[in-house]
Amino acid sequence: MLNNITALGSNRLLNLLTDNCRQNLLTHCELVSINLDEVLCNLGDVIKYVYFPVEGIVSWEKKITDSPYWVVTLIGNEGMICISLLLGINERSCRAVVQKSGFALRIPATIFTQQVEQKPALSMILNRYANVMYNQALQIAACNLFHVIENRLARLLLMFQQRSQSDEINITQDKLAKMLGVRRVGVTKAAGSLQRKNLISYIRGSVIIHDIAGLKKASCGCYEADNATYNNMM
Amino acid sequence: MLNNITALGSNRLLNLLTDNCRQNLLTHCELVSINLDEVLCNLGDVIKYVYFPVEGIVSWEKKITDSPYWVVTLIGNEGMICISLLLGINERSCRAVVQKSGFALRIPATIFTQQVEQKPALSMILNRYANVMYNQALQIAACNLFHVIENRLARLLLMFQQRSQSDEINITQDKLAKMLGVRRVGVTKAAGSLQRKNLISYIRGSVIIHDIAGLKKASCGCYEADNATYNNMM
DNA sequence: ATTTCTATGTTTGTTAACGTACAGACATAT
DNA sequence: ATATGTCTGTACGTTAACAAACATAGAAAT
């Protein structure tokens, strides 16, 4: 079964391991499909599995006390879900929800913990990824403060595009608004503006990106900054 | 020299270690004074030392590309500086600046790395602290998006108060504004409002907190949320 | 004592985003 | 075919924060 992975694509974190090390880890992995709106781990759950997405997109969301809002970032095959287990924290303050169906490699938490202890190469790579996540969180903080909705929407669309390798994003404006922490009306306005600039077009429930380079210009520098952080660190 | 530490106060992270483990670590520590505006580690520096503040306050700041702004959080004796070394990252994307003079325990990076490898108890505690920092970053992201300046200022003042154990904060409105990522005028207005509510008073270069409970009510929930995260995790 | 610098206070107009409401368009189910 | 639900478009008044400019006041220096 695991031989199919190459056909599907693969996980960029695991790709950084030596062939030997990766093969050994993969024997403990199970390839599972992840489906839209599936909750991979919920608030307060004890972590049962960690996931390395191979295809598809997962949102990583932190609940904010006394508020209906969640801080959101997206994770695809460049990352993993439940990295905090690396730090020995096995109860979650965040949840993970599938935003685009696909596949992921799943490892039971106990085995993952053992593997990390036994394989310095693995823990080194995941440590670096944890630091990427931290810097991304600070980037979101700045982005939320300084950048207008249109820029932030452009950034979010690019994040979808990058993680799905597809120019069509199946999502409603309402969901985009929740991810950005703004009103749906705000997204309608921003999306309309991006469309008028011929960067995207959209219909009910799906956005099509026409001009990635243009969209990058229309986004804030945070998209590129996140990528730079990832590339430097990994 | 190190016996003086108890007289000065101590670091809450190190306090979580067993006496044996802490004593052993302290033999590698040097107690140094940290002075206002001193830069403990700068952008792009290779990390030479990690610091465990005992007294005083240090700001932890991430530069945002193409912008004069920095995302800022405060670290006192509840935390440490350059936690990323724990993750094996020895070059910094953040800087640390002393905001209130005091003292810190300092350990050379190489020795710190060794100690972390040798002492599971130490690495466990610091791993948990790293997770606290991550959650704090996400909290800042939400706070920046949803909360008005007055709430955010109240939160920042409480963070100073908590970390200095003093109701007098020696800082200008201009510096506060930079930390919040807003204009100085915005701080003047918010501070004036807090003063009119008899929660604080201030003169040139210093703020005095009169009513901590009231200030907590005037702040957003983020102050308490951060504390809750810390207490749960540690 | 006067000057200079720094910190705080206030004003004016502008803007991005808010809350709320409603209308039209499309999709699905019965 | 009709009804119901979901998604998108638009409008109106409100607000927090912005940018820029200027005024006042305390501290430090000469």
Side-chain angles (χ1 to χ4, degrees), chain A residues 11-65:
Chain A
N11 181 279
R12 290 172 63 192
L13 291 182
L14 299 183
N15 283 354
L16 292 171
L17 297 168
T18 60
D19 288 351
N20 253 346
C21 182
R22 184 173 52 250
Q23 285 308 320
N24 182 278
L25 190 67
L26 287 176
T27 60
H28 301 96
C29 287
E30 187 185 0
L31 184 66
V32 294
S33 66
I34 55 176
N35 303 304
L36 188 61
D37 292 331
E38 187 182 342
V39 177
L40 299 185
C41 89
N42 211 335
L43 219 67
D45 277 3
V46 170
I47 297 174
K48 286 193 203 121
Y49 299 101
V50 301
Y51 296 84
F52 292 88
V54 165
E55 221 183 87
I57 301 177
V58 178
S59 61
W60 184 242
E61 317 179 340
K62 179 185 168 77
K63 175 94 184 81
I64 299 304
T65 322

Side-chain angles (χ1 to χ4, degrees), chain A residues 62-71 93, chain B residues 135 138-143 146-147 221-222 225:
Chain A
K62 179 185 168 77
K63 175 94 184 81
I64 299 304
T65 322
D66 302 331
S67 144
Y69 296 105
W70 300 73
V71 185
S93 52
Chain B
N135 277 283
L138 291 177
Q139 194 76 43
I140 293 172
C143 192
F146 298 116
H147 301 143
C222 297

Side-chain angles (χ1 to χ4, degrees), chain B residues 80-203:
Chain B
M80 68 171 286
I81 314 294
C82 292
I83 180 85
S84 77
L85 194 61
L86 178 74
L87 302 176
I89 287 100
N90 66 352
E91 192 169 331
R92 284 304 330 152
S93 51
C94 295
R95 73 175 178 193
V97 184
V98 178
Q99 297 297 331
K100 182 182 160 75
S101 302
F103 300 90
L105 291 161
R106 180 174 93 169
I107 312 184
T110 48
I111 297 177
F112 175 76
T113 306
Q114 283 167 23
Q115 291 282 311
V116 166
E117 276 166 17
Q118 288 165 16
K119 295 196 170 67
L122 178 61
S123 80
M124 195 265 275
I125 284 167
L126 299 186
N127 273 331
R128 299 184 82 81
Y129 179 65
N131 203 52
V132 169
M133 290 286 284
Y134 177 67
N135 277 283
Q136 275 184 5
L138 291 177
Q139 194 76 43
I140 293 172
C143 192
N144 283 350
L145 190 51
F146 298 116
H147 301 143
V148 296
I149 296 182
E150 185 172 333
N151 295 336
R152 292 173 54 215
L153 176 62
R155 178 188 175 202
L156 183 57
L157 294 177
L158 286 167
M159 288 175 73
F160 268 102
Q161 193 277 333
Q162 187 180 41
R163 284 162 181 77
S164 65
Q165 297 297 332
S166 157
D167 291 345
E168 182 170 358
I169 304 164
N170 289 101
I171 196 165
T172 63
Q173 295 189 353
D174 194 55
K175 272 196 177 180
L176 289 169
K178 287 198 169 67
M179 288 185 182
L180 293 173
V182 300
R183 294 169 315 149
R184 195 266 311 162
V185 173
V187 170
T188 301
K189 210 177 142 219
S193 171
L194 292 175
Q195 188 170 42
R196 257 170 270 123
K197 294 173 184 164
N198 294 316
L199 303 175
I200 65 170
S201 66
Y202 55 95
I203 48 165

